[in-house]
Amino acid sequence: MGGDLAPVQIVEGAALAVRDLDVEVVMVGLPDAVLPLLERHTELRFVPATQVVGMEEHPANAIRAKSDSSMSVCARLVKDGEVDAWVSAGNSGAALAASLFILGRIRGVDRPALGSMVPTANGFTYLLDVGANVDCKAQFLVQFAQMGAAYAQGLLGLENPRIALLSNGEEPGKGDHLVREVYPRLERSGLNFVGNVEAKEMLAGAADVVVADGFLGNVAIKMAEATAEYIFRTLREEIPKSMVGKLGGLLIRPRVRAMRSRLDWREYGGAPLLGVDGVAVVAHGRSDALAIRNAIRVAKQSVDAGLVARIREAVT
């Protein structure tokens, strides 16, 4: 029921996932809204909910007041072992609240974190936190680094991932008070800590995992998404303005499409909530069917990699 294009695109994305990913998907939502859409998607199961958390609602209050919201039902299905993971494109704060209240935190984790894949010059960097925790303490960022390393090992296949801090300079003394406090802790953490990175080094692939508080991480990821969209929108507008541009556009179209796919946030699906005691994936509020399909892929990969167990081991 969550997301700008729900429930139609959510259902279509779930059907794509069943077709492509060898998964079983259970749709949770209001019967009147969802059941008519499932008439031509009999491969999808359905579990009803009687309430929905709106995007404008206070996350924690809404989850407390709406025990039969679609989010709460999803989290309970995971808690009860009836499904392996849950995915939502709705109110991200409410998804976090539902996961915390119903699934609980992994022991040793003070604050769960959201991570996101960032395309780089030589692959990808995993950036966290991208919005779950605006105000952070030093130990939170150390835990983010531990959880990010576990994610990179389990889902990205990196045996000894390079961990960095997002800062306004590479030198150890750069950054705000929080970054300067975290730096020596990560040096002593036993992780493969490579120091501070600026945004340009992150995009150049200087680290496999980049750690930031949720405010800075959210600004960074949204700026990266907006920049990519701006570039491609400008190309679409400018290239057809001359005959030479049109001819050149035909020649470069295949490579532009490949580049757009690489930079398209929909290809990365969603972000697992690292640190909750179960697999919960938060998808973008603008998710269409492709993005939902890929968010379900991320959930499946997280389950197959034993992500929760890896994080439990990393933080103890």
Side-chain angles (χ1 to χ4, degrees):
M1 302 304 301
D4 298 344
L5 305 177
V8 175
Q9 289 294 301
I10 310 301
V11 171
E12 293 299 323
L16 287 176
V18 171
R19 185 194 71 186
D20 298 340
L21 304 176
D22 189 27
V23 293
E24 179 182 1
V25 181
V26 179
M27 309 304 299
V28 177
L30 304 180
D32 290 347
V34 179
L35 283 176
L37 302 175
L38 299 185
E39 291 179 358
R40 65 187 188 93
H41 290 299
T42 56
E43 70 275 24
L44 301 174
R45 287 176 51 201
F46 178 70
V47 171
T50 61
Q51 298 169 307
V52 173
V53 176
M55 293 299 292
E56 75 287 349
E57 294 189 67
H58 185 280
N61 292 345
I63 294 299
R64 291 190 183 98
K66 297 181 174 180
S67 61
D68 200 44
S69 69
S70 53
M71 286 188 175
S72 296
V73 173
C74 282
R76 282 198 297 271
L77 289 172
V78 175
K79 180 72 172 179
D80 295 340
E82 296 185 41
V83 301
D84 297 301
W86 73 285
V87 177
S88 175
N91 186 319
S92 58
L96 173 60
S99 295
L100 284 174
F101 295 164
I102 296 171
L103 299 176
R105 289 192 301 268
I106 293 173
R107 186 173 183 178
V109 175
D110 291 303
R111 294 287 188 277
L114 276 172
S116 181
M117 298 299 297
V118 178
T120 66
N122 54 8
F124 302 94
T125 288
Y126 189 62
L127 172 64
L128 75 163
D129 180 32
V130 294
N133 305 276
V134 174
D135 298 307
C136 288
K137 298 179 180 179
Q139 71 259 30
F140 299 173
L141 267 67
V142 173
Q143 292 167 9
F144 296 169
Q146 293 168 329
M147 294 190 293
Y151 182 93
Q153 290 166 340
L155 275 79
L156 305 181
L158 301 174
E159 183 176 346
N160 191 28
R162 299 165 297 160
I163 313 296
L165 270 172
L166 186 60
S167 184
N168 64 335
E170 300 176 28
E171 299 82 3
K174 288 292 183 72
D176 59 13
H177 175 77
L178 179 62
V179 169
R180 294 196 304 273
E181 184 179 355
V182 172
Y183 192 102
R185 296 193 185 197
L186 287 179
E187 284 187 308
R188 301 190 299 266
S189 67
L191 297 169
N192 183 16
F193 179 57
V194 296
N196 290 340
V197 293
E198 298 180 29
K200 65 179 187 294
E201 279 81 34
M202 177 175 70
L203 295 177
D208 302 306
V209 176
V210 175
V211 176
D213 66 78
F215 178 82
L216 181 58
N218 188 266
V219 170
I221 195 67
K222 287 183 176 177
M223 177 61 77
E225 291 176 359
T227 300
E229 290 181 5
Y230 171 76
I231 290 171
F232 287 108
R233 184 172 64 250
T234 302
L235 286 173
R236 286 197 305 269
E237 293 171 354
E238 294 297 326
I239 287 176
K241 287 184 177 180
S242 70
M243 183 58 65
V244 173
K246 291 177 181 178
L247 292 173
L250 289 174
L251 294 174
I252 66 172
R253 181 178 295 173
R255 300 315 308 159
V256 170
R257 285 178 175 170
M259 184 172 68
R260 182 175 181 83
S261 178
R262 180 175 170 80
L263 298 177
D264 189 351
W265 58 265
R266 300 177 304 162
E267 296 290 340
Y268 307 107
L273 269 170
L274 305 184
V276 297
D277 199 8
V279 175
V281 173
V282 177
H284 203 296
R286 293 187 286 127
S287 291
D288 60 6
L290 175 63
I292 293 299
R293 180 259 191 209
N294 288 325
I296 295 170
R297 171 182 52 78
V298 170
K300 180 184 188 304
Q301 290 172 335
S302 299
V303 172
D304 291 345
L307 180 61
V308 172
R310 287 178 178 273
I311 291 175
R312 186 176 290 115
E313 180 179 357
V315 299
T316 54

